[in-house]
Amino acid sequence: MVVRTLHWTVPHYSIWGLPFYLFYSTRSSQFLHPRPNQGLFRTLLCHMLSPMKRAASKLIESYLEWKLPLEKYGLKPEHPFEEDYASCQMAILPENFFTEADKGKILFKRTSKWWFWEGGVEFEDNTRLEADVVILATGFDGKKKIKAILPDPFRSLVEFPSGMIPLYRGTIHPLIPNMAFVGYLESVSNLHSAEIRCIWLSRLVDDLFKLPSVEKMLEQITQEMEIMKKTTRFYKRNCISTFSINHSDEICQEMGWQFWRKTNWLAEAFSPYNSQDYAEGK
């Protein structure tokens, strides 16, 4: 297994006996993180509460280092766990993954560059690995695919100089008419995020509300991008996981819905949001 960039992985959704959602997926936990349109008072409050945010990340890291043999295999990332969560790069380990590694059935190789030779794969330290089959699990370039289907001059508008695609509500490019993108902007639960954006988009198409001006949309997008850039070095993935509830709140407000969707304040503060919370007419 060739590892180019280390990321934190978790064995299950429980940290020291606590459900994982308590750390990042409730309204109270996301209160510790910056979000768009938060104002001066909340900006100062986020700064004051930043030690709590770092403590949550450290607590999760301590559990993963205790639970998994990351040091043994040289797989401990140098960046905080929060940066992987904020860029939607937190992954769940397959069952028995390290058990198989302990048996020698999975070997790890850290490298930033590699290439093929006639017998397999060669690495930048001039070592070689003989291989009959090589599986490229490198993901895909979403921006390249989008650019391929757009005509000029819109192709040049797809991404900002930062390398991110500017999408209002994760769906509409303010400068590209009659086109929407669902599923590009990520969160910790992509199906849930894509579903509420589809509802938003369908109501927009039905003319049940109006979009703000292009300037207002670009301002909102810029704020979201700045938060991503300040939260994680992997910001080009366009991820809203640390302020996903606020993102859904703003979508609800734009559609004329009540954005507090739980039945009581206790559930509102400490329960995670899911698709059922955003059922139409609720």
Side-chain angles (χ1 to χ4, degrees):
M1 183 175 179
V2 178
V3 182
R4 297 177 64 190
T5 304
L6 289 175
H7 292 288
W8 292 96
T9 54
V10 297
H12 43 67
Y13 287 110
S14 178
I15 303 295
W16 295 118
L18 298 172
F20 182 84
Y21 67 76
L22 287 178
F23 294 92
Y24 288 107
S25 302
T26 66
R27 194 176 289 277
S28 58
S29 61
Q30 292 194 5
F31 187 77
L32 303 176
H33 299 268
R35 65 188 186 191
N37 308 310
Q38 64 181 4
L40 178 61
F41 175 75
R42 198 177 183 288
T43 300
L44 293 174
L45 193 61
C46 280
H47 181 71
M48 293 171 59
L49 296 175
S50 59
M52 294 179 62
K53 183 176 64 173
R54 290 194 295 270
S57 182
K58 286 292 185 183
L59 184 65
I60 295 172
E61 291 168 32
S62 68
Y63 175 77
L64 297 179
E65 291 179 55
W66 171 77
K67 183 71 174 178
L68 305 174
L70 301 179
E71 293 278 8
K72 175 182 177 181
Y73 291 108
L75 298 177
K76 179 188 173 183
E78 296 181 0
H79 57 269
F81 175 85
E82 181 187 332
E83 290 198 38
D84 276 344
Y85 187 84
S87 57
C88 298
Q89 296 195 96
M90 182 198 78
I92 300 294
L93 277 176
E95 189 175 357
N96 300 323
F97 180 80
F98 281 113
T99 301
E100 297 302 311
D102 290 339
K103 296 176 182 177
K105 294 183 178 180
I106 302 176
L107 305 177
F108 303 98
K109 176 70 177 181
R110 288 281 311 280
T111 185
S112 59
K113 296 180 181 178
W114 59 271
W115 51 90
F116 290 110
W117 64 288
E118 59 269 20
V121 179
E122 184 173 349
F123 305 105
E124 59 184 343
D125 61 0
N126 296 322
T127 60
R128 288 182 171 184
L129 173 68
E130 293 186 2
D132 297 319
V133 177
V134 177
I135 300 175
L136 302 177
T138 57
F140 61 92
D141 189 344
K143 290 190 289 290
K144 184 176 180 180
K145 292 179 178 291
I146 292 173
K147 285 180 178 179
I149 64 174
L150 286 173
D152 288 324
F154 302 117
R155 187 179 293 120
S156 61
L157 301 174
V158 165
E159 61 181 310
F160 275 8
S162 64
M164 303 168 74
I165 296 183
L167 296 177
Y168 180 70
R169 303 303 183 216
T171 309
I172 299 290
H173 193 301
L175 302 177
I176 301 178
N178 305 318
M179 181 170 283
F181 305 85
V182 175
Y184 184 81
L185 188 67
E186 295 183 75
S187 74
V188 70
S189 176
N190 286 329
L191 288 176
H192 158 55
S193 297
E195 184 176 14
I196 192 169
R197 290 187 202 117
C198 286
I199 296 171
W200 178 87
L201 181 60
S202 68
R203 293 174 72 86
L204 175 64
V205 171
D206 289 339
D207 205 26
L208 296 179
F209 66 91
K210 299 293 185 182
L211 289 174
S213 66
V214 170
E215 291 76 15
K216 288 289 186 183
M217 288 192 285
L218 289 174
E219 181 182 348
Q220 172 74 20
I221 293 166
T222 301
Q223 287 189 43
E224 292 180 357
M225 287 182 170
E226 286 302 314
I227 290 172
M228 295 177 205
K229 289 168 70 174
K230 291 177 181 178
T231 306
T232 175
R233 70 195 70 187
F234 309 112
Y235 61 85
K236 292 184 180 181
R237 286 182 62 89
N238 287 53
C239 175
I240 59 166
S241 61
T242 57
F243 58 96
S244 58
I245 296 176
N246 178 75
H247 184 82
S248 297
D249 287 349
E250 292 182 342
I251 286 178
C252 287
Q253 286 179 296
E254 205 156 48
M255 294 190 297
W257 288 11
Q258 170 66 37
F259 60 89
W260 281 39
R261 313 291 293 178
K262 301 290 188 180
T263 56
N264 59 74
W265 70 267
L266 197 62
E268 191 67 55
F270 300 109
S271 295
Y273 266 86
N274 54 46
S275 297
Q276 287 81 4
D277 292 312
Y278 295 99
E280 255 185 290
K282 184 171 179 178

